[in-house]
């Protein structure tokens, strides 16, 4: 609905050197029944003073004045408030002038010979300004909530890494220590059973009876199971707490890609343009987790024949690219999928001041690109929770 100039009165600031034209304007507005409160100024200082002094709802400015003009008035108005509506009034009919005034931010352009249009022009301009303000406020609120979401994502990632580190440490301290003690006990039990001297191979005692031989083979079976448990515990610790910080991102990615290839039997190669890449802990952890998630997706969905992981370091940013030649998918359907893997990595990139892009199409393979600045991203809300030692 177009608002009328009804109470409370609209506060007009009229930039006009001619007292006569000003009176005419007021008379026209009075006749249209819209209550207004108006003030006239005729130069830069007058206009700035009036804007400083009190509320102004709209500026109506003459095009040419001895010491001022509409374009300068527009600049002063927009400087004061970018949404403040401005109507330019001109005695001169020129399409170029009208277009230039609108480009410079005027809401309307009126010829002095058609001043009867002023009432509706003011009403429309006020409405347009209200919409602009609402749009700007909505955009600011959206930006604010996006930035809160980014901060939250970043915080969650830190908490997640801390939690993984705690679990890895507990596995190391509790289960790891127990497994080591069991290994020790098993070796000494085997020796005791076989009456062996230290250094002698278990099961190589010619004087043992069948009962001892049976116990010996069961001990070996237990020992094998124990080795498997030790290996599983290392693997779990490694997954929970990759040695990104101590061995460096490049070594960690190398390990990740190799173990992916041997686990899945899909040939996977890793390439980088830098062997040594000092990165903030948070960045390195993000890169590693993105590679982990992308490779997990490949083994779950891609049916790929070949996988390539590339880490490319430029002076200001570092980019990770994970591509496969598998079945691909329509990235448009990501909105509708319940998975959080890809969504999480896009958020993660934003949180670090970078970007992530997923390009894929059915039967065309998939490429995930993840790029973050090596410094100068949004400031962390708290320091990265990544530990500096690996509890392995
Ligand atoms: N490399 C890939 N090849 C084929 N499809 C993929 C690949 N990566 C992801 N997808 C598709 O995108 C979807 C969303 O992935 P993601 O966000 O990681 O969630 P989730 O793994 O939990 O399903 C998957 O369900 C799958 O359909
Ligand atoms: Mg996934």
């Amino acid at each position: 609905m177009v608002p009328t100039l009804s109470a409370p009165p609209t506060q007009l600031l009229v930039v006009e050197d001619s007292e006569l034209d000003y009176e005419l304007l007021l008379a026209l507005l009075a006749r249209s029944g819209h209550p207004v409160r108006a003030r006239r100024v005729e130069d830069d200082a007058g206009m700035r003073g009036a804007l400083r002094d009190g509320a102004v709802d709209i500026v109506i400015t003459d095009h040419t004045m001895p010491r001022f003009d509409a374009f300068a008035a527009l600049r002063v108005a927009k400087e004061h408030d970018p949404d403040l509506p401005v109507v330019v009034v001109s005695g001169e009919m020129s399409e170029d002038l009208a277009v230039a005034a609108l480009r410079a931010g005027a809401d309307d352009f009126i010829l002095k010979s058609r001043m009867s249009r002023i009432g509706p022009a003011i009403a429309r301009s006020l409405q347009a300004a209200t919409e602009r303000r609402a749009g700007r406020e909505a955009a600011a609120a959206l930006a604010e909530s996006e930035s809160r979401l980014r901060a939250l994502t970043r915080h969650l990632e830190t908490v997640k890494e801390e939690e993984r580190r705690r679990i890895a440490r507990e596995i190391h301290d509790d289960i790891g220590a127990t497994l080591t003690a069991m290994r020790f006990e098993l070796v000494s039990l085997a020796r005791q059973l076989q009456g062996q001297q230290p250094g002698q191979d278990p099961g190589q005692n010619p004087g043992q009876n069948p009962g001892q031989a049976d116990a010996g083979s069961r001990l070996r079976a237990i020992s094998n199971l124990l080795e498997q448990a030790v290996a599983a515990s290392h693997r779990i610790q490694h997954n929970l707490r990759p040695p990104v910080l101590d061995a460096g991102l490049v070594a960690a990615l190398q390990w990740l890609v190799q173990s992916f290839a041997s686990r899945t039997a899909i040939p996977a190669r890793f390439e980088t343009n830098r062997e040594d890449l000092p990165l903030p802990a948070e960045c390195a952890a993000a890169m590693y987790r993105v590679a982990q998630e992308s490779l997990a997706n490949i083994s779950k969905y891609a049916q790929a024949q070949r996988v390539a992981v590339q880490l490319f370091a430029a002076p200001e940013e570092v980019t990770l690219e994970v591509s496969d030649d598998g079945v691909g998918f329509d990235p448009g359907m990501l909105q509708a999928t319940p998975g959080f893997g890809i969504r999480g990595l896009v958020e993660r990139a934003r949180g670090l001041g970078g970007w992530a892009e997923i390009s894929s199409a059915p039967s065309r393979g998939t490429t995930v690109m993840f790029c973050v600045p090596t410094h100068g991203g949004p400031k962390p809300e708290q320091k990265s929770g990544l530990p500096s030692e690996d509890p392995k």
Side-chain angles (χ1 to χ4, degrees):
M1 197 187 85
V2 174
T4 56
L5 301 179
S6 55
T10 302
Q11 311 275 354
L12 297 188
L13 177 60
V14 184
V15 189
E16 172 65 82
D17 62 307
S18 152
E19 180 70 36
L20 204 65
D21 284 354
Y22 177 60
E23 296 297 336
L24 178 68
L25 171 70
L26 294 188
L28 271 170
L29 290 174
R31 208 188 303 156
S32 70
H34 301 312
V36 298
R37 193 171 295 147
R39 177 170 173 186
R40 182 174 75 88
V41 294
E42 53 186 303
D43 55 19
D44 183 281
M47 188 176 172
R48 288 181 195 275
L51 289 171
R52 237 188 346 259
D53 286 353
V56 170
D57 296 321
I58 184 163
V59 173
I60 298 175
T61 176
D62 191 12
H63 172 235
T64 37
M65 289 157 277
R67 297 197 302 272
F68 208 34
D69 69 51
F71 292 100
L74 268 163
R75 275 196 299 278
V76 174
K78 298 290 166 184
E79 217 174 87
H80 173 76
D81 170 3
D83 295 321
L84 184 62
V86 178
V87 174
V88 175
V89 175
S90 166
E92 173 194 337
M93 171 61 191
S94 152
E95 211 172 288
D96 287 351
L97 178 64
V99 169
L102 296 179
R103 283 227 174 101
D107 286 88
D108 212 335
F109 182 90
I110 293 181
L111 282 174
K112 286 199 171 170
S113 55
R114 313 255 322 258
M115 276 307 268
S116 55
R117 273 190 60 217
I118 192 72
I122 289 175
R124 238 190 351 263
S125 303
L126 285 170
Q127 169 75 14
T130 306
E131 282 162 11
R132 274 202 300 273
R133 270 191 196 108
R136 208 184 285 274
E137 277 163 18
L142 183 65
E144 164 70 21
S145 91
E146 276 181 351
S147 119
R148 255 184 276 137
L149 178 67
R150 274 197 293 279
L152 180 67
T153 310
R154 202 163 168 163
H155 175 67
L156 283 178
E157 292 300 340
T158 305
V159 170
K160 238 159 67 184
E161 293 293 351
E162 265 170 12
E163 188 62 5
R164 286 173 177 152
R165 169 200 171 206
R166 195 185 58 74
I167 298 170
R169 167 155 295 138
E170 275 181 17
I171 292 176
H172 174 262
D173 291 353
D174 293 359
I175 301 180
T178 311
L179 291 176
T180 308
M182 279 171 74
R183 230 180 193 171
F184 182 81
E185 291 296 331
L186 263 184
V187 170
S188 86
L189 182 63
R191 284 188 190 135
Q192 205 179 345
L193 190 72
Q194 296 166 347
Q196 232 184 350
Q197 294 305 308
Q200 190 177 340
D201 188 5
Q204 294 296 300
N205 188 344
Q208 66 182 185
N209 63 37
Q212 279 176 310
D214 183 43
S217 72
R218 290 168 92 176
L219 267 183
R220 271 192 297 279
I222 295 176
S223 173
N224 284 341
L225 290 173
L226 186 61
E227 290 311 322
Q228 285 174 26
V230 169
S233 142
H234 279 170
R235 199 180 56 244
I236 294 169
Q237 286 177 61
H238 205 117
N239 282 336
L240 282 169
R241 173 70 198 105
V244 167
L245 294 183
D246 15 68
L249 178 62
V250 171
L253 287 175
Q254 232 144 18
W255 175 85
L256 186 69
V257 173
Q258 266 160 23
S259 60
F260 167 86
S262 58
R263 199 179 60 251
T264 60
I266 304 171
R269 74 191 147 81
F270 173 68
E271 285 172 358
T272 180
N273 66 336
R274 286 276 299 273
E275 286 306 323
D276 168 39
L277 186 60
L279 274 183
E282 207 180 1
C283 264
M287 290 272 161
Y288 185 86
R289 295 295 180 200
V290 166
Q292 213 173 20
E293 170 63 26
S294 307
L295 291 173
N297 277 348
I298 293 174
S299 62
K300 278 197 279 183
Y301 309 115
Q303 298 165 41
Q305 302 298 314
R306 220 160 276 283
V307 171
V309 176
Q310 283 167 310
L311 183 72
F312 182 76
E316 299 292 320
E317 58 186 28
V318 50
T319 309
L320 175 76
E321 192 179 309
V322 182
S323 52
D324 68 69
D325 61 354
V327 295
F329 68 105
D330 171 13
M333 67 93 187
L334 279 174
Q335 306 285 8
T337 59
F340 271 93
I342 290 175
R343 247 176 267 182
L345 71 88
V346 170
E347 279 309 319
R348 200 161 191 167
R350 280 198 200 138
L352 291 168
W355 52 269
E357 195 180 276
I358 287 78
S359 38
S360 187
S363 12
R364 305 281 292 274
T366 301
T367 297
V368 172
M369 284 183 79
F370 183 86
C371 177
V372 287
T374 44
H375 38 74
K379 282 273 166 284
E381 272 60 43
Q382 62 179 95
K383 234 180 102 26
S384 161
L386 286 172
S388 54
E389 80 275 46
D390 182 24
K392 192 160 127 181

